[in-house]
Amino acid sequence: MTAESNKRSFVILGFVFVSAISTLGLIYSNLPELPEEHSRHIKLPRNIEDAKELGRVISIYKDTHYFSVMGTYFASYIFLQTFAIPGSIFLSILSGFLFSFPTNLVLICSCSAIGATNCFFLFSMVGRKIVTRYFPERIEKWNQQVDKHRDSLLNYIIFLRITPFLPNWFINMTSPVIGVPVFPFVFGTFLGVAPPSLLAIQAGKTLHTLTSASDAVSPLQFVLLIVLGFVSMIPVVFKHYFKKKLE
């Protein structure tokens, strides 16, 4: 029965994935007709060189097809986030090159929150058995941490999104399995991705000088993100302090 249930989950996930990628392909097919030397670069970036070429091509058409470009960017980012596919970091960097501030920041935060929520509900409905089968020990450890922060999950999710301690794909897939409520998950994601997104946007201003995605964050900025993550937990510390005082 378990094997049959797992098979059914994989089939449903596969169907949803094929439907989503077909929709994304339809969106791409409705883009303005481009010459071959440009159209071959219209694809989801897999490395910084892909992002550079994509940025160069899109910048040519952005002014005359602004909403078409933004809509395609929006759909591509959500697609990657929904299925936990690597590559959204390159789109974040690209937003700094293509769009003005604060449009690019709102765009990244919105796409991250929507895509993460899609992943949350997808794995809540059909991915529970898959996640518990492949990550049982990690889920158990994270469940223990979440239980410690049940009364301050919004701050905890913000902390996790800012810091690199847990990968975002793992948070998105496993949150529904361990009972993280939707509200702190969505708003914690929207707010928590803002600081690292600002660094990606800043890096996008000098896109053509980057050699890898890691160039987007300097060692000092990496430390600052961790510090900012702990700062987000200060209200929780004060809450517990005053709670003990009242008791």
Side-chain angles (χ1 to χ4, degrees), residues 167-184:
N168 283 328
W169 62 264
F170 180 78
I171 298 172
N172 297 344
M173 288 181 179
T174 58
S175 288
V177 176
I178 61 175
V180 174
V182 174
F183 177 85

Side-chain angles (χ1 to χ4, degrees), residues 1-245:
M1 182 64 71
T2 301
E4 184 66 26
S5 180
N6 286 338
K7 181 179 179 181
R8 189 183 306 113
S9 296
F10 276 115
V11 169
I12 295 174
L13 280 173
F15 175 78
V16 174
F17 178 79
V18 170
S19 299
I21 202 169
S22 297
T23 302
L24 190 63
L26 183 62
I27 293 173
Y28 274 58
S29 68
N30 285 320
L31 288 172
E33 188 172 347
L34 308 177
E36 195 279 331
E37 66 267 22
H38 289 169
S39 61
R40 62 191 176 93
H41 296 299
I42 303 298
K43 59 183 180 180
L44 295 173
R46 300 177 62 184
N47 52 55
I48 199 65
E49 293 304 319
D50 285 350
K52 288 179 181 180
E53 292 298 333
L54 182 60
R56 180 181 63 82
V57 171
I58 293 179
S59 63
I60 298 173
Y61 301 94
K62 185 192 68 174
D63 291 337
T64 54
H65 300 89
Y66 183 81
F67 290 105
S68 179
V69 168
M70 180 176 283
T72 304
Y73 176 96
F74 189 79
S76 300
Y77 203 119
I78 291 176
F79 171 78
L80 293 178
Q81 289 285 304
T82 298
F83 297 100
I85 300 173
S88 57
I89 178 60
F90 301 116
L91 292 182
S92 295
I93 294 172
L94 196 59
S95 74
F97 179 75
L98 293 174
F99 306 112
S100 60
F101 185 84
T103 299
N104 41 25
L105 180 61
V106 174
L107 190 60
I108 294 175
C109 292
S110 299
C111 289
S112 297
I114 294 171
T117 304
N118 288 346
C119 188
F120 180 99
F121 283 120
L122 185 60
F123 278 83
S124 174
M125 291 183 289
V126 298
R128 288 177 178 270
K129 290 183 174 62
I130 296 174
V131 171
T132 53
R133 176 183 177 183
Y134 289 102
F135 310 107
E137 294 182 2
R138 294 186 69 179
I139 289 176
E140 180 59 31
K141 290 179 180 179
W142 192 42
N143 190 31
Q144 293 172 2
Q145 292 300 314
V146 169
D147 284 340
K148 294 177 182 178
H149 299 90
R150 286 287 174 187
D151 59 343
S152 54
L153 275 178
L154 177 61
N155 294 82
Y156 186 53
I157 294 297
I158 291 173
F159 167 80
L160 290 175
R161 295 301 191 182
I162 294 175
T163 58
F165 299 133
L166 275 179
N168 283 328
W169 62 264
F170 180 78
I171 298 172
N172 297 344
M173 288 181 179
T174 58
S175 288
V177 176
I178 61 175
V180 174
V182 174
F183 177 85
F185 178 85
V186 174
F187 286 95
T189 298
F190 184 88
L191 297 173
V193 298
S197 296
L198 285 172
L199 299 183
I201 289 170
Q202 185 60 37
K205 301 298 182 184
T206 56
L207 174 63
H208 292 296
T209 67
L210 302 179
T211 57
S212 71
S214 60
D215 292 343
V217 182
S218 68
L220 176 59
Q221 290 172 329
F222 182 81
V223 172
L224 287 175
L225 283 179
I226 294 177
V227 171
L228 187 58
F230 281 104
V231 168
S232 70
M233 294 298 288
I234 290 178
V236 179
V237 175
F238 277 107
K239 180 180 178 180
H240 288 166
Y241 173 79
F242 286 114
K243 184 178 180 180
K244 289 182 178 179
K245 279 285 188 179

